[in-house]
Amino acid sequence: MTAPDKSHAAPADDWSSQPERSHLRLLRVMRWLSLRLGRRASRTLLWPVVAIYLLISPGARRTSRQFLSRALGRPAGLADVMRQGFAFASTIHDRVYLLNGRLDLFDIRVHGEPAIQQAIARGDGAFLFGAHLGSFEAVRAVGLRYPALRLAVMMYQDNASRLNDVLAAINPAVRQDVIPLGRLDAMLQARDYLERGYLLGLLADRTLARLATDPPRQCEFLGAPAPFATGPLRMAAMLRRPVLFMTGLYRGGNRYDIHFDTIADFSATPAAEREAAIDAALRRYVALLERHCRAAPYNWFNFYDFWQAPTRAPADA
């Protein structure tokens, strides 16, 4: 791991410059079709949608091949790009069923369950760090097994207001507690939720290089240095809470594999050792992310050049 990257140049094809693709009207139509046609019948519409999207999106094709070539250890072809696009479309499609309580349609297998059980049993909150890898909704669905689990999400301010609109378009009864990142009171809000026993979930694989308080740090990832934020781990260290890794990998058909792994426990870290603990936790996070990317490469849903440092707020689907 090297020193923080001080470059603030904005790549033309970074993730933050991508247009928002979650159109509420389209989501409502998808919900209507999916719930009436059923999962199997409505899934037949995904392949032509993916083909059209990739046809008109040369940047997405290029960055998909770039990532897959690294993760697969061989040159990625068009079939690989299509497979990744279909996995992405499948997880979006499955949101409709997961958020409408149709867990009976899925084979969801949990790995590392003791880690999440221990975090809930502590009762004083913890952080769940994910990535744009697989399905967050599948992870959220696992929470229904635990009546004591309460979940809030942390996301960049520009996207926080969109989340509940998206959820409402899929299921008007679903709402989500959101803590906007990038605001001065974000840590105070996080502490309040943690003290009430909430688990705080965030996708920690994207960075905002424009934030002077959180310059990205270059870490070796799939054979080359890539920028990763230290801010989320720094917050967890200051609030002295455990951090778990989470991901919900789509395995084809109706199967999802949910993984929980321990990243760090800052509850007993002395202030003098905090920086070293943050550095070790970041290396652990990146190592876990790389392991799952190699195990399920088509679940990677960052369709931009990940090895360049972004500079503006994200536009998540």
Side-chain angles (χ1 to χ4, degrees), residues 104-245:
D104 57 296
L105 297 174
F106 300 98
D107 175 13
I108 299 178
R109 308 179 189 185
V110 182
H111 309 269
E113 198 161 11
I116 192 70
Q117 290 173 334
Q118 182 178 4
I120 296 170
R122 286 173 59 112
D124 58 354
F127 287 87
L128 296 176
F129 281 14
H132 291 78
L133 179 75
S135 169
F136 179 73
E137 282 73 26
V139 177
R140 189 208 308 260
V142 172
L144 297 177
R145 300 184 183 184
Y146 308 104
L149 187 151
R150 291 182 291 175
L151 177 69
V153 298
M154 305 186 74
M155 56 175 31
Y156 290 107
Q157 186 171 359
D158 293 346
N159 282 331
S161 61
R162 299 189 187 110
L163 177 61
N164 278 319
D165 290 338
V166 170
L167 295 177
I170 297 174
N171 182 350
V174 174
R175 303 293 294 177
Q176 178 67 66
D177 289 286
V178 178
I179 301 171
L181 291 170
R183 286 175 37 171
L184 293 176
D185 63 343
M187 185 174 294
L188 294 175
Q189 289 190 53
R191 184 178 64 184
D192 177 65
Y193 273 92
L194 290 166
E195 289 177 348
R196 288 185 281 151
Y198 275 74
L199 302 187
L200 303 186
L202 66 148
L203 305 183
D205 55 328
R206 294 182 179 179
T207 66
L208 284 177
R210 65 177 171 81
L211 292 181
T213 57
D214 183 23
R217 191 167 297 180
Q218 296 289 328
C219 300
E220 193 76 7
F221 178 61
L222 294 175
F228 287 89
T230 60
L233 283 168
R234 201 170 299 280
M235 179 183 296
M238 293 181 68
L239 294 175
R240 302 173 68 85
R241 291 306 199 281
V243 182
L244 304 182
F245 182 91

Side-chain angles (χ1 to χ4, degrees), residues 7-306:
S7 172
H8 289 260
D13 61 348
D14 75 31
W15 58 266
S16 62
S17 67
Q18 303 304 311
E20 175 60 50
R21 300 188 185 276
S22 292
H23 302 292
L24 300 183
R25 184 175 299 176
L26 180 60
L27 283 172
R28 293 188 185 101
V29 171
M30 178 184 290
R31 174 181 182 271
W32 188 89
L33 287 172
S34 298
L35 293 178
R36 278 155 183 78
L37 295 178
R39 184 172 179 270
R40 178 174 297 182
S42 55
R43 276 168 67 83
T44 61
L45 303 174
L46 298 183
W47 280 113
V49 169
V50 171
I52 292 171
Y53 170 72
L54 292 175
L55 181 66
I56 64 176
S57 305
R61 295 197 306 270
R62 181 180 68 255
T63 56
S64 174
R65 276 181 168 160
Q66 177 197 52
F67 168 80
L68 289 172
S69 295
R70 292 182 182 276
L72 294 169
R74 59 170 174 79
L78 182 58
D80 294 305
V81 174
M82 283 290 293
R83 185 173 172 183
Q84 184 186 27
F86 184 75
F88 181 49
S90 295
T91 61
I92 294 176
H93 180 238
D94 284 344
R95 285 180 185 175
V96 173
Y97 302 100
L98 291 167
L99 292 174
N100 280 277
R102 294 300 312 275
L103 303 187
D104 57 296
L105 297 174
F106 300 98
D107 175 13
I108 299 178
R109 308 179 189 185
V110 182
H111 309 269
E113 198 161 11
I116 192 70
Q117 290 173 334
Q118 182 178 4
I120 296 170
R122 286 173 59 112
D124 58 354
F127 287 87
L128 296 176
F129 281 14
H132 291 78
L133 179 75
S135 169
F136 179 73
E137 282 73 26
V139 177
R140 189 208 308 260
V142 172
L144 297 177
R145 300 184 183 184
Y146 308 104
L149 187 151
R150 291 182 291 175
L151 177 69
V153 298
M154 305 186 74
M155 56 175 31
Y156 290 107
Q157 186 171 359
D158 293 346
N159 282 331
S161 61
R162 299 189 187 110
L163 177 61
N164 278 319
D165 290 338
V166 170
L167 295 177
I170 297 174
N171 182 350
V174 174
R175 303 293 294 177
Q176 178 67 66
D177 289 286
V178 178
I179 301 171
L181 291 170
R183 286 175 37 171
L184 293 176
D185 63 343
M187 185 174 294
L188 294 175
Q189 289 190 53
R191 184 178 64 184
D192 177 65
Y193 273 92
L194 290 166
E195 289 177 348
R196 288 185 281 151
Y198 275 74
L199 302 187
L200 303 186
L202 66 148
L203 305 183
D205 55 328
R206 294 182 179 179
T207 66
L208 284 177
R210 65 177 171 81
L211 292 181
T213 57
D214 183 23
R217 191 167 297 180
Q218 296 289 328
C219 300
E220 193 76 7
F221 178 61
L222 294 175
F228 287 89
T230 60
L233 283 168
R234 201 170 299 280
M235 179 183 296
M238 293 181 68
L239 294 175
R240 302 173 68 85
R241 291 306 199 281
V243 182
L244 304 182
F245 182 91
M246 64 174 179
T247 188
L249 302 177
Y250 176 62
R251 293 301 200 173
N254 69 339
R255 179 178 165 184
Y256 283 87
D257 282 354
I258 313 301
H259 293 267
F260 296 105
D261 292 280
T262 300
I263 294 176
D265 185 353
F266 294 109
S267 60
T269 302
E273 300 175 11
R274 185 175 294 163
E275 285 302 316
I278 290 170
D279 186 73
L282 182 60
R283 285 187 276 112
R284 170 72 171 160
Y285 172 79
V286 175
L288 287 168
L289 182 60
E290 179 169 306
R291 178 203 300 174
H292 291 296
C293 283
R294 292 196 184 278
Y298 302 107
N299 277 250
W300 179 256
F301 302 145
N302 282 308
F303 294 98
Y304 67 94
D305 185 356
F306 189 79

